[in-house]
């Protein structure tokens, strides 16, 4: 269930009092109000961070219900380059200082125009802090994800969205920077103030992959403790190896048709 794995959710904040996260909220930082805290509420009415965290890590709604969740509030309802950069830098330093021997996961369900500064900071998470980053491809209706950040970062795992009917969501960005496709339409998850609701977009797809990575990290200790980048690369490769190849309809040319495949049993990880 991801127990012992640290997941950093860089987003609009998390309702740390929600029943889906009970007892599993770790230290985070609020770059909107400039305060370190282990519990704060989405107060911008966009309900985004709580929902993505619930998909990754909710007790009942999440892929990896045992992880420790670190809420990193970098924006309200629209990403700001300066606060996102600060958030990435804080995550890198905090993880290095406290959990340097453990591979962690960073979920980034936001998209902005391509930024070398943002991409470099994402790459440093992988190269300098033992963290695997997952990014949403963006929701620009078929635009090239390679023109977006953090989706275009070299070390980001970029995720496009599919629909429940087994087809590619046409609102998703596409292209060679997309590494995987996951469910993204009408995803039910946690909402602030103890609620639940459905949301759609590549922001909802990315945390499915973040949760899958956490499951593998927990079980594959030998890989997770491999020095350098070999272990982190192997962790994602095992998730890719279980993906359904060419299983979705209407995937645009130039976009890998790799659909996230998760069996919620220990055998899924054991057989990787």
């Amino acid at each position: 269930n991801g127990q012992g794995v640290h997941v950093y959710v860089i987003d609009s904040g998390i309702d740390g009092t929600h029943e889906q996260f009970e007892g599993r909220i770790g230290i985070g930082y609020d770059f909107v109000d400039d305060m370190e805290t282990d519990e704060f509420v989405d107060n911008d009415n966009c309900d985004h961070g709580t929902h993505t965290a619930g998909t990754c890590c909710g007790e009942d709604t999440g892929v990896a219900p045992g992880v420790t969740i670190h809420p990193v509030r970098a924006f309200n309802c629209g990403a700001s380059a300066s606060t996102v950069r600060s958030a990435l830098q804080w995550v890198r330093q905090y993880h290095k200082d406290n959990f340097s021997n453990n591979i962690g996961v960073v979920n980034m369900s936001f998209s902005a125009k391509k930024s070398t500064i943002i991409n470099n900071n994402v790459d440093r998470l992988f190269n300098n802090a033992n963290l695997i980053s997952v990014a949403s491809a963006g929701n620009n209706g078929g635009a090239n994800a390679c023109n977006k950040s953090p989706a275009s970062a070299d070390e980001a795992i970029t995720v496009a969205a599919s629909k429940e009917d087994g087809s590619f969501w046409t609102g998703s960005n596409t292209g060679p920077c997309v590494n995987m496709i996951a469910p993204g339409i009408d995803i039910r998850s946690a909402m602030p103030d103890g609620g639940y609701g459905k949301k759609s977009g590549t922001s909802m797809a990315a945390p499915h992959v973040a949760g899958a990575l956490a499951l593998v990290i927990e079980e594959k200790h030998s890989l997770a403790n491999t020095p350098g980048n070999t272990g982190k690369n192997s962790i994602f490769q095992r998730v890719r190896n279980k993906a359904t190849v060419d299983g979705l309809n209407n995937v645009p040319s130039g976009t890998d048709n790799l659909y996230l495949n998760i069996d919620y049993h220990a055998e899924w990880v054991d057989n990787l």
Side-chain angles (χ1 to χ4, degrees), residues 107-127:
N107 189 77
M108 304 177 294
S109 287
F110 57 88
S111 179
K113 67 180 181 179
K114 188 172 183 178
S115 164
T116 300
I117 293 174
I118 296 300
N119 286 359
N120 286 345
N121 275 281
V122 171
D123 293 343
R124 290 186 190 112
L125 296 176
F126 185 84
N127 293 317

Side-chain angles (χ1 to χ4, degrees), residues 168-181:
F168 187 84
W169 180 51
T170 57
S172 176
N173 289 350
T174 62
C177 287
V178 172
N179 303 110
M180 187 163 283
I181 306 168

Side-chain angles (χ1 to χ4, degrees), residues 1 48-49 54 56 72 82 126 133 147 149-150 152-153 172 217-218 225 259 263 271:
N1 65 5
H48 196 268
C56 164
V72 184
S82 61
F126 185 84
S133 298
N147 295 326
S149 285
S152 58
S172 176
I217 291 168
E218 180 199 4
N225 292 327
Y259 182 63
D263 186 334
N271 292 329

Side-chain angles (χ1 to χ4, degrees), residues 161-217:
S162 66
K163 297 166 62 179
E164 190 175 1
D165 64 3
S167 65
F168 187 84
W169 180 51
T170 57
S172 176
N173 289 350
T174 62
C177 287
V178 172
N179 303 110
M180 187 163 283
I181 306 168
I185 305 304
D186 291 331
I187 303 302
R188 183 180 182 274
S189 186
M191 298 285 269
D193 300 321
Y196 294 88
K198 292 182 178 181
K199 283 183 173 290
S200 297
T202 60
S203 286
M204 285 66 248
H208 284 91
V209 176
L213 290 166
L215 296 181
V216 178
I217 291 168

